[in-house]
Amino acid sequence: NILIGKNKNKNYLAKNKQSSIIYLLKEKIQTRGGIIMKKGKVVLVGTGFVGMSMAYSMLNRGGINELVLIDIDKDKTIGEEMDLSHGLPFAPQKMVIKAGDYDECKDAQVVVITAGIAQKPGQTRLELAETNTRIMKSITKSIMASGFNGIIIVASNPVDLMTYVVSKVSGLPKNQVFGSGTVLDTARLRYLMSDYLKVSSKNIHAYIMGEHGDSSFVPWEHAYVGCKKIKDVMEDNNHPMKDLEKIHKDVINAAYEIINKKKATYYGIGMSLNRLVRAVLDNENSILTVSTYLKDGQYGQDDIYIGVPAIINSNGIRELVDLELNEEEQAKLDNSCKIIKEMRENSIDKIINE
């Protein structure tokens, strides 16, 4: 009887151990294409203002199990690791934060790239793009050399073009690479509309599309306050429609104004990147305006990354949200794409293929 009891106990322990291992595997590990990934592991490439604003946002918000910091300046990366880690006693959850290298990308779910140079006075946009293309090419090769097969989110500028570079160099499926696109522009739009209409920004459903830059536009026909069309809201409150166009212009000029006053923008984009990462890690199927790959006539385009609404989950871009644009809006999107393609043809494609 004693022996039988012992055997029963052993069987019970063995069963429990097996269940625990299966649970841990489900909770801590995900696979894609045979590559094992740690659930909730994020790698940040670039520990400048933008990258560290995202990291600080993640520390405060939670939802990340492990954050690895990579930068060409190793001492700065170690300093950032130490500084962030000292705030862990006040964070909402346990989180591993460490300075690392590209081999850490192998089992990461998400890699966020914020590295690159800022535009210097007198430097043309094309010159900036050429320099950052070389940086993106080098970074992407290092990421892929690790065996990485997760999701890459690009925030380096010009973001639509840099997302294209990372996609081409990585060779990953197009859904696994996307850029921050117009997600920050859209947040700025919703904030300003909220302030103007005195309605919570969470109930403003409007999107900025196109290039992350001066050629962006708002498809007002698809803008809502709650469940009511923005045009009806403006009319019912005797607000002139031209006020909305002024708000859009304020969105475009916001970055210039902030840079003029404090030299750089980083909190807003840091929060935006955290939002994108959470959409992937939590398999949210959320609609966000990101630099997404268009092909075969989607929005009248082919072989280009541009800011459009897309559904984002653990596989990256699940699908595009196809909006019907009027003639003026389509012309603006075409113009955004033309600007990007001209830069590609001038030199970017050559640098990629060097």
Side-chain angles (χ1 to χ4, degrees):
N1 285 338
I2 293 169
L3 285 172
I4 290 169
K6 279 183 178 178
N7 287 335
K8 277 184 178 177
N9 203 31
K10 280 180 183 177
N11 288 337
Y12 174 77
L13 288 170
K15 260 188 174 180
N16 261 355
K17 189 177 179 182
Q18 190 178 25
S19 298
S20 298
I21 290 167
I22 291 168
Y23 172 77
L24 284 169
L25 285 171
K26 283 181 179 176
E27 286 299 302
K28 301 295 181 186
I29 294 172
Q30 290 195 346
T31 61
R32 182 183 286 110
I35 302 294
I36 296 173
M37 298 178 290
K38 283 187 184 176
K39 193 171 183 183
K41 180 176 180 178
V42 177
V43 173
L44 167 65
V45 182
T47 59
F49 285 130
V50 171
M52 293 317 299
S53 293
M54 181 197 78
Y56 185 64
S57 174
M58 287 175 170
L59 179 65
N60 280 282
R61 180 79 184 270
I64 310 297
N65 295 325
E66 184 175 345
L67 177 63
V68 181
L69 310 175
I70 299 175
D71 197 283
I72 195 168
D73 187 340
K74 305 293 185 186
D75 282 344
K76 183 180 188 302
T77 309
I78 293 168
E80 296 290 6
E81 173 207 323
M82 293 171 66
D83 201 5
L84 279 178
S85 297
H86 295 164
L88 279 169
F90 308 112
Q93 70 168 74
K94 182 182 176 182
M95 180 177 168
V96 175
I97 302 169
K98 60 182 178 182
D101 217 327
Y102 287 101
D103 60 322
E104 289 280 0
C105 296
K106 183 177 181 178
D107 58 356
Q109 267 192 283
V110 181
V111 171
V112 181
I113 304 175
T114 64
I117 64 161
Q119 194 164 2
K120 297 172 183 175
Q123 186 181 41
T124 68
R125 203 151 171 271
L126 180 59
E127 287 169 343
L128 171 70
E130 288 173 347
T131 302
N132 279 345
T133 293
R134 290 185 174 90
I135 294 170
M136 290 303 108
K137 184 178 177 181
S138 174
I139 287 170
T140 305
K141 283 185 173 182
S142 298
I143 292 168
M144 298 312 296
S146 73
F148 175 77
N149 193 28
I151 308 300
I152 299 180
I153 302 173
V154 183
S156 308
N157 280 317
V159 68
D160 303 293
L161 202 48
M162 293 305 104
T163 307
Y164 168 82
V165 172
V166 172
S167 173
K168 283 285 185 184
V169 175
S170 71
L172 287 169
K174 296 294 188 285
N175 62 289
Q176 287 177 228
V177 180
F178 64 90
S180 53
T182 52
V183 72
L184 174 58
D185 312 63
T186 295
R188 287 170 173 159
L189 176 72
R190 292 180 180 182
Y191 167 76
L192 291 173
M193 287 178 67
S194 166
D195 187 55
Y196 177 84
L197 295 168
K198 307 305 176 193
V199 174
S200 169
S201 58
K202 291 178 173 60
N203 297 117
I204 304 290
H205 308 296
Y207 301 90
I208 287 188
M209 294 175 61
E211 181 201 19
H212 173 58
D214 297 349
S215 67
S216 69
F217 67 95
V218 184
W220 293 114
E221 282 293 329
H222 302 288
Y224 290 81
V225 178
C227 56
K228 193 168 184 176
K229 283 195 169 189
I230 185 63
K231 289 188 176 181
D232 293 337
V233 172
M234 296 295 283
E235 189 178 317
D236 291 351
N237 290 279
N238 295 315
H239 295 319
M241 281 299 292
K242 66 180 181 182
D243 285 2
L244 292 179
E245 290 303 333
K246 183 185 180 300
I247 287 173
H248 179 223
K249 283 180 183 175
D250 288 344
V251 169
I252 291 172
N253 293 326
Y256 298 118
E257 191 174 348
I258 293 169
I259 290 167
N260 186 48
K261 293 180 185 301
K262 56 170 278 189
K263 309 303 180 190
T265 69
Y266 36 89
Y267 297 134
I269 185 61
M271 290 282 286
S272 300
L273 289 171
N274 186 22
R275 178 72 191 88
L276 294 176
V277 171
R278 287 293 296 274
V280 174
L281 296 184
D282 295 345
N283 196 28
E284 285 184 359
N285 291 299
S286 292
I287 298 173
L288 295 158
T289 47
V290 293
S291 286
T292 309
Y293 186 70
L294 303 184
K295 62 177 182 178
D296 302 330
Q298 291 172 316
Y299 281 104
Q301 308 302 324
D302 186 55
D303 189 30
I304 192 164
Y305 273 89
I306 197 76
V308 297
I311 300 173
I312 299 175
N313 63 17
S314 59
N315 291 316
I317 304 295
R318 194 190 87 189
E319 62 184 271
L320 301 185
V321 177
D322 194 5
L323 299 179
E324 188 176 334
L325 304 179
N326 61 35
E327 195 174 321
E328 184 184 353
E329 291 162 353
Q330 186 63 54
K332 287 177 180 177
L333 182 63
D334 292 344
N335 183 52
S336 282
C337 293
K338 183 184 174 187
I339 291 167
I340 293 167
K341 284 197 169 181
E342 281 175 354
M343 284 199 286
R344 268 171 44 183
E345 289 164 5
N346 284 336
S347 58
I348 303 305
D349 283 329
K350 290 175 187 173
I351 296 170
I352 291 172
N353 296 319
E354 281 175 355

